[in-house]
Amino acid sequence: MYRRVVRPVLYRLGKGDAEVAHEQTLHGLRRLGRIPGAVAALSRTYGALPTGSPRTVFGVRFPSPVGLAAGMDKNGIALPAWRALGFGFVEVGTVTAHPQPGNEKPRLFRLVEDEAVINRMGFNNLGSSALADRLAAYGDLGYPLGISIGKSKVTPLDDAVEDYVTSLRRLSAYGDYFAVNVSSPNTPGLRSLQDAGHLRELLTALHAEAASLSVGGLGGKPILVKIAPDLTPSAIDELLAVCTEVGVAGIIATNTTIGRPGVESHPLAAETGGLSGRPLTEIAAKTVAHIHAETGGALPIIGVGGILEPADAMRLFDAGASLVQLYTGLIYRGPGLIRRINRGLT
């Protein structure tokens, strides 16, 4: 039904502008979450989780290992509804210390034939202070919440550490884990923070701040690092060495790619931004497998990228992922994909 009826309607919104469909979907879910009984009704269709699916990773118990990736609900406006679609956890953001509008529109493009998306959103969000207020109003969501934090565009790279620390400080009480996004291709210079020296300084400061709030370090709220799929194996190994040294709780692999694997001839391939969806299936699986092998399975991995079928999720689990996340797959396959993956876990 989603692919035959719902998806064509969404694709026509805003004269085909993918961002309009995104926003309309979010606001629809937000309204649904406010209707008494609506979330419960939706849960009966999509939200049932298979027996035996809960698992504990980096000290957090997840009712299902299938989560919503960052980027879909940056400001957390639809959080009550996501669990009803079958997600076992949700990652909000990426959020920055300063509110920012993001890059100029249009900035989100569907490559429908390739089941891919190119985005150059640029961390458009209302800021970490606004997100903290919203999360305080929600109270207990009934599932684990991850919070992705990034650098504000107006903040110079030399001041990036304080920018991240500010967001962590504001949001520390509300996240079950924190994802440090140093791999988006849409904020100038951000990926340089994946370099060993910069990354060590950033993660050390975040752990120190978390410890001072009595929620961090090795015994508190887990801090994860989200990496780019464009790193060479040696660069990944160098990054992993820093993460192990500092005491990072896990790795999220991967973000979007600046490459155009398999879509080079598409008319939209020249658009600037990160590519997600089917072209990342192979890259994400290989990256997860490399991280798992390099760390001997000691560092938990959230696998994300190119999940459009249950088999894609299972491949990431087989490669060493403890959890997986969806975003682009939800756009092309709808909430039925989450249900099918959850059923496959049985």
Side-chain angles (χ1 to χ4, degrees):
M1 179 178 176
Y2 174 82
R3 298 174 74 174
R4 293 194 307 271
V5 179
V6 178
R7 195 173 80 174
V9 172
L10 288 174
Y11 284 11
R12 287 195 295 269
L13 292 175
K15 298 181 180 179
D17 186 335
E19 188 169 354
V20 173
H22 182 167
E23 293 301 321
Q24 290 296 317
T25 299
L26 275 180
H27 287 292
L29 288 169
R30 182 185 193 179
R31 289 191 293 270
L32 184 77
R34 293 172 171 175
I35 300 173
V39 170
L42 190 63
S43 294
R44 287 192 290 271
T45 302
Y46 293 106
L49 300 180
T51 303
S53 66
R55 60 185 64 182
T56 299
V57 185
F58 41 77
V60 178
R61 187 178 186 276
F62 295 85
S64 161
V66 184
L68 179 68
M72 176 62 82
D73 193 358
K74 291 183 176 68
N75 296 302
I77 69 171
L79 291 180
W82 291 117
R83 172 62 188 84
L85 295 183
F87 285 113
F89 65 105
V90 172
E91 192 172 305
V92 298
T94 295
V95 66
T96 54
H98 299 284
Q100 56 187 40
N103 295 321
E104 291 185 8
K105 299 178 181 180
R107 54 194 181 182
L108 188 64
F109 309 91
R110 301 187 200 96
L111 287 66
V112 179
E113 303 86 350
D114 302 290
E115 294 187 301
V117 167
I118 292 174
N119 95 82
R120 54 170 178 265
M121 303 297 285
F123 290 168
N124 55 306
N125 75 103
L126 299 176
S128 53
S129 182
L131 179 60
D133 290 342
R134 175 169 284 118
L135 295 178
Y138 280 138
D140 183 16
L141 291 165
Y143 58 76
L145 181 71
I147 302 177
S148 175
I149 55 177
K151 184 188 80 68
S152 305
K153 188 175 182 178
V154 298
T155 300
L157 277 174
D158 289 345
D159 299 326
V161 170
E162 182 56 32
D163 200 78
Y164 281 89
V165 167
T166 296
S167 291
L168 177 65
R169 185 182 303 127
R170 291 170 175 168
L171 295 163
S172 60
Y174 308 109
D176 292 284
Y177 72 85
F178 289 85
V180 181
N181 189 342
V182 289
S183 52
S184 169
N186 301 316
T187 296
L190 185 76
R191 286 190 169 192
S192 67
L193 296 176
Q194 294 178 116
D195 298 342
H198 287 143
L199 187 63
R200 182 181 291 105
E201 180 186 6
L202 173 59
L203 295 177
T204 299
L206 287 171
H207 273 286
E209 178 65 23
S212 73
L213 296 167
S214 300
V215 298
L218 296 176
K221 298 287 180 75
I223 294 175
L224 287 73
V225 174
K226 188 169 188 175
I227 70 170
D230 307 307
L231 296 174
T232 63
S234 60
I236 292 175
D237 295 346
E238 186 176 6
L239 180 148
L240 292 174
V242 173
C243 290
T244 301
E245 171 192 332
V246 176
V248 162
I251 300 291
I252 303 175
T254 65
N255 213 316
T256 57
T257 177
I258 58 173
R260 296 294 182 261
V263 301
E264 297 89 346
S265 61
H266 195 285
L268 293 173
E271 292 288 350
T272 302
L275 177 73
S276 62
R278 176 56 74 196
L280 261 71
T281 305
E282 186 76 15
I283 297 171
K286 287 183 176 180
T287 304
V288 168
H290 179 88
I291 295 169
H292 183 72
E294 180 66 19
T295 62
L299 196 61
I301 305 166
I302 300 180
V304 54
I307 299 176
L308 288 104
E309 296 287 351
D312 302 326
M314 299 312 158
R315 184 177 180 187
L316 290 177
F317 287 128
D318 290 343
S322 300
L323 308 166
V324 297
Q325 292 176 331
L326 314 178
Y327 181 167
T328 305
L330 186 63
I331 295 172
Y332 285 107
R333 301 301 175 90
L337 174 60
I338 313 160
R339 180 174 55 187
R340 290 162 56 210
I341 296 173
N342 278 324
R343 286 177 175 174
L345 292 171
T346 304

